[in-house]
Amino acid sequence: MNGYAWLGLAIVAEVIATTALKASDSFSRLGPSVITTVGYGLAFWCLSHSMKTVPVGVGYAIWSGVGIVLITAIAWVLFKQRLDAPALLGMGLILAGVLVINIFSRSAGR
């Protein structure tokens, strides 16, 4: 499988795990706690496979940037987190950075 596909799976697993972490109530609820633990394990396993071909700096920038934006979107929908203009602007800049890396940088290793 392509390194970027592994990275995508790692991001999805991490987002699921982080969402479950909120629901685990400090690991006091069994179901969400298990999802959190398995999700983070799966996320790092997939991330390790992506690092075989994706440069570590680029991979981590994509992992963290996309993860931040997805988790914030989920928090907005599921947990009714409010987003003000500076938060939206900041996330837009994060997405712009990820896009610049992927579209214009030779460091992306493709």
Side-chain angles (χ1 to χ4, degrees), residues 4 53-59 61-62 95-110:
Y4 286 95
T53 57
V54 177
V56 68
V58 171
I62 295 168
L95 280 178
V98 170
L99 288 173
V100 166
I101 289 170
N102 282 292
I103 294 171
F104 300 110
S105 176
R106 292 183 189 166
S107 298
R110 289 186 230 179

Side-chain angles (χ1 to χ4, degrees), residues 20-67:
L21 182 63
K22 168 72 173 162
S24 78
D25 196 25
S26 298
F27 286 99
S28 65
R29 297 181 56 221
L30 181 61
S33 297
V34 170
I35 293 169
T36 298
T37 304
V38 171
Y40 282 132
L42 181 61
F44 283 106
W45 183 73
C46 291
L47 184 63
S48 74
H49 283 285
S50 77
M51 293 299 153
K52 291 177 184 176
T53 57
V54 177
V56 68
V58 171
Y60 196 76
I62 295 168
W63 154 286
S64 58
V66 173

Side-chain angles (χ1 to χ4, degrees), residues 53-95:
T53 57
V54 177
V56 68
V58 171
Y60 196 76
I62 295 168
W63 154 286
S64 58
V66 173
I68 287 167
V69 173
L70 288 175
I71 286 296
T72 304
I74 289 169
W76 176 63
V77 172
L78 294 181
F79 305 118
K80 307 300 183 219
Q81 175 181 331
R82 292 179 167 235
L83 300 173
D84 58 10
L88 292 170
L89 175 63
M91 284 184 290
L93 291 170
I94 290 168
L95 280 178

